[in-house]
C-alpha cells in the first residue's frame, strides 16, 4: 500500500475592488438673464457639453421653470446625461454662486446624501437630475446671485466606477516635470549662450540648440543659412515688446521676453495672460500683445504658441470683435480660431446684421 505524497503548498493570492468617483466640474455663466426670462415654461438654456468619467454632461437652466404646475414661480436647474449610456451611476452638486464676495453660495449637493440614498442612476441619454424648484424667482432677482444681469452656476459630477486595483497597495509618487524650470534658469542666467538677438537695439541672449529644437525656422537659420562665426541676428520686423514682455529701457533685462520665455519654458508669462484679456474692442484687438504673439508664432513655426494665442483670442469673441479676430485668424493661419469665429457668426447673424462689424465679416469670409 503506497503512501500519497503531500500536496504542494499554494501561495495565497489577493485582490481588491475599489469603488470611487471620477469627479469633474463645469462653470455655466448665464449672461442676459432678463432677456431669457419669459421664454416659456419647460424651455431651457443649455451649457456646452463637458466630459466627466467618460460621459458627456450638460447643465439645463429653465428661467420660467420646468413644469407647468410651478407656474413660473421658480427657476429650475438640471444636469443631463448628454451621451449614450446605460445605468450610469453618479453623484451631483449644483451651486448658485454668490457674486457679492461674501461666499454665501446656494448649494444643492447629492454628495452629502450619498450614504443615505446612494448614487443616482441615469438610465439613458437625456436622463436628468436636478431641482424643479431650484430657487424662487422673485428672491433670485433681488439677491446677490444675480449681478449685472448675470448668473453663475457651478456643477460637479462624480461618476461612480469600480475596478480591481492592486497598485495602490504599493505606490510611488512621481513629481511633475520640471524641465521647463531648468531650461528657464538657463535662459535667465545666460549660461553658455551662443547667439544674440538685436531687437531695436536691445540684446537678448539665447542658445542655438534650444531654439533650433523648438522652431523649424530657427533650425533653418542656424544650420542651413547662418554662418559658423556669425553670432548675432538682427530682428527688424518685430516690436521689442513682442520679443520681451514690458520691454522698456528702464525695465531690467531679467524680465523675459515673451517668445524666448515660451521657447524655454513652454508657457506664457503672467503679463501675457493679463494682456490677453478684455480685448474685445474691434479697434484694439489687433494691437494687443496676444495678437502680435500670434503673428510671431506664425512666422517662427511655433505651433503650440499659435494655439495658446488662439485660445486667448477665442475668449474675447463677441458680436463687436468677431470680424477683427476672424481677420487675424485668416492672416496668421489660425485655423481653429477661424472655425470658432465662423461658427459664432453663423449663430449670431441677427446681432451681426445690426452693427457695422457685419460688413467687415463679410469681406473676411470672401477673402477666405
Amino acid at each position: 500500500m503506497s503512501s500519497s505524497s503531500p500536496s504542494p503548498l499554494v501561495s495565497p493570492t489577493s485582490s481588491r475592488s475599489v469603488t470611487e468617483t471620477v469627479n469633474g466640474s463645469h462653470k455655466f455663466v448665464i449672461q442676459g438673464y432678463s432677456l431669457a426670462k419669459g421664454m416659456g415654461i419647460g424651455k431651457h438654456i443649455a451649457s456646452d457639453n463637458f466630459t466627466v468619467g467618460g460621459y458627456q454632461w450638460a447643465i439645463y437652466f429653465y428661467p420660467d421653470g420646468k413644469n407647468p404646475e410651478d407656474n413660473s414661480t421658480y427657476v429650475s436647474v438640471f444636469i443631463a446625461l448628454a451621451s449614450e449610456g446605460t445605468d450610469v451611476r453618479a453623484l451631483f452638486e449644483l451651486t448658485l454662486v454668490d457674486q457679492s464676495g461674501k461666499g454665501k453660495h446656494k448649494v444643492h449637493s447629492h454628495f452629502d446624501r450619498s450614504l443615505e440614498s446612494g448614487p443616482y442612476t441615469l438610465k439613458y441619454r437625456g436622463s436628468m437630475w436636478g431641482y424643479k424648484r431650484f430657487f424662487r424667482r422673485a428672491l433670485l432677482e433681488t439677491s446677490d446671485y444675480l449681478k449685472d444681469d448675470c448668473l453663475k452656476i457651478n456643477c460637479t459630477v462624480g461618476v461612480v466606477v469600480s475596478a480591481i486595483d492592486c497598485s495602490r497597495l504599493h505606490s510611488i509618487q512621481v513629481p511633475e516635470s520640471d524641465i521647463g524650470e531648468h531650461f528657464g534658469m538657463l535662459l535667465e542666467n545666460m549660461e553658455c549662450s551662443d547667439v544674440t538677438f538685436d531687437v531695436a537695439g536691445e540684446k537678448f541672449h539665447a542658445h542655438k540648440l534650444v531654439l533650433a529644437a523648438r522652431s523649424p525656422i530657427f533650425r533653418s537659420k542656424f544650420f542651413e543659412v547662418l554662418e559658423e562665426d556669425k553670432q548675432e541676428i538682427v530682428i527688424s520686423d518685430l516690436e521689442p515688446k513682442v520679443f520681451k514682455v514690458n520691454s522698456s529701457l528702464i525695465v531690467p533685462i531679467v524680465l523675459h521676453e515673451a517668445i524666448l520665455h515660451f521657447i524655454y519654458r513652454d508657457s506664457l508669462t503672467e503679463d501675457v495672460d493679463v494682456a490677453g484679456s478684455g480685448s474685445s474692442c474691434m479697434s484694439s484687438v489687433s494691437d494687443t500683445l496676444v495678437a502680435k504673439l500670434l503673428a510671431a508664432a506664425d512666422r517662427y513655426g511655433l505651433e503650440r504658441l499659435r494655439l495658446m494665442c488662439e485660445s486667448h483670442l477665442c475668449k474675447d469673441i463677441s458680436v463687436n470683435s468677431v470680424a477683427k479676430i476672424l481677420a487675424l485668424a485668416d492672416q496668421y493661419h489660425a485655423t481653429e480660431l477661424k472655425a470658432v469665429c465662423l461658427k459664432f457668426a453663423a449663430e449670431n447673424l441677427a446681432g451681426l446684421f445690426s452693427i457695422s462689424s457685419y460688413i467687415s465679416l463679410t469681406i473676411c469670409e470672401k477673402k477666405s
Side-chain angles (χ1 to χ4, degrees):
M1 182 173 172
S2 61
S3 60
S4 59
S5 59
S7 301
L9 293 177
V10 178
S11 300
T13 60
S14 66
S15 63
R16 179 174 64 161
S17 173
V18 178
T19 300
E20 58 187 0
T21 58
V22 177
N23 298 332
S25 61
H26 184 80
K27 178 185 291 184
F28 185 28
V29 178
I30 302 166
Q31 186 71 51
Y33 164 81
S34 61
L35 299 176
K37 186 175 64 173
M39 66 190 306
I41 298 173
K43 294 185 178 180
H44 67 268
I45 299 171
S47 71
D48 281 344
N49 290 353
F50 57 98
T51 302
V52 179
Y55 298 95
Q56 288 196 315
W57 308 86
I59 305 170
Y60 288 178
F61 176 73
Y62 298 80
D64 296 319
K66 189 175 186 296
N67 294 330
E69 57 264 27
D70 294 323
N71 196 27
S72 300
T73 305
Y74 294 86
V75 298
S76 305
V77 181
F78 282 80
I79 304 170
L81 179 63
S83 61
E84 298 299 332
T86 304
D87 294 337
V88 181
R89 301 173 69 238
L91 301 173
F92 306 97
E93 183 173 277
L94 288 167
T95 303
L96 188 58
V97 177
D98 176 10
Q99 300 187 64
S100 69
K102 300 175 183 177
K104 297 182 179 180
H105 311 302
K106 184 174 180 60
V107 181
H108 296 278
S109 181
H110 191 203
F111 285 83
D112 298 335
R113 303 196 308 271
S114 61
L115 289 177
E116 302 174 6
S117 57
Y120 188 80
T121 301
L122 297 102
K123 297 288 186 180
Y124 50 84
R125 179 178 183 177
S127 298
M128 293 188 290
W129 177 92
Y131 292 87
K132 292 185 294 183
R133 298 185 176 188
F134 185 75
F135 205 92
R136 190 180 292 271
R137 268 185 28 170
L139 293 177
L140 176 65
E141 293 170 3
T142 58
S143 71
D144 290 328
Y145 302 113
L146 183 65
K147 182 179 180 181
D148 298 329
D149 207 25
C150 174
L151 292 174
K152 296 181 179 180
I153 299 174
N154 288 339
C155 164
T156 299
V157 178
V159 178
V160 178
V161 295
S162 297
I164 300 297
D165 184 11
C166 296
S167 62
R168 297 192 179 205
L169 298 176
H170 305 283
S171 61
I172 298 175
Q173 297 296 322
V174 178
E176 295 293 329
S177 171
D178 59 357
I179 188 172
E181 295 181 15
H182 288 293
F183 275 97
M185 290 301 297
L186 189 67
L187 177 63
E188 287 184 14
N189 298 333
M190 296 181 287
E191 295 178 348
C192 304
S193 61
D194 55 2
V195 65
T196 302
F197 290 95
D198 184 335
V199 186
E202 293 193 60
K203 307 291 185 179
F204 301 93
H205 301 277
H207 307 78
K208 293 180 185 178
L209 285 176
V210 176
L211 298 174
R214 299 282 278 157
S215 165
I217 306 302
F218 283 131
R219 187 182 309 122
S220 175
K221 281 182 176 292
F222 297 144
F223 301 134
E224 297 177 19
V225 178
L226 192 62
E227 298 176 3
E228 189 71 24
D229 58 346
K230 190 173 183 181
Q231 304 299 319
E232 183 170 295
I233 300 177
V234 177
I235 304 294
S236 58
D237 58 347
L238 285 180
E239 299 177 20
K241 68 177 180 179
V242 178
F243 239 69
K244 187 178 70 178
V245 178
N246 290 339
S247 179
S248 171
L249 293 177
I250 63 174
V251 176
I253 196 68
V254 294
L255 288 177
H256 305 310
E257 55 81 19
I259 298 175
L260 287 181
H261 181 95
F262 168 78
I263 288 176
Y264 280 78
R265 293 183 178 269
D266 202 36
S267 66
L268 296 178
T269 64
E270 293 182 3
D271 296 326
V272 178
D273 286 334
V274 172
S277 60
S279 58
S280 58
C281 177
M282 283 189 61
S283 61
S284 63
V285 65
S286 60
D287 296 325
T288 62
L289 183 55
V290 174
K292 294 182 182 300
L293 280 175
L294 177 64
D298 182 56
R299 179 189 173 189
Y300 291 110
L302 301 170
E303 295 303 323
R304 178 171 162 79
L305 178 59
R306 188 206 309 272
L307 285 173
M308 294 170 83
C309 293
E310 289 184 60
S311 177
H312 273 273
L313 291 168
C314 180
K315 297 174 185 177
D316 289 329
I317 294 176
S318 66
V319 172
N320 292 319
S321 67
V322 63
K324 199 74 174 181
I325 295 177
L326 176 59
L328 286 173
D330 184 59
Q331 182 178 0
Y332 299 122
H333 309 97
T335 55
E336 294 196 29
L337 180 61
K338 182 177 180 179
V340 173
C341 287
L342 292 175
K343 182 179 179 181
F344 177 89
E347 294 173 349
N348 294 273
L349 286 177
L352 290 170
F353 270 116
S354 65
I355 61 174
S356 60
S357 64
Y358 179 75
I359 300 174
S360 301
L361 174 66
T362 305
I363 295 173
C364 292
E365 289 181 317
K366 288 182 177 179
K367 288 183 178 180
S368 63

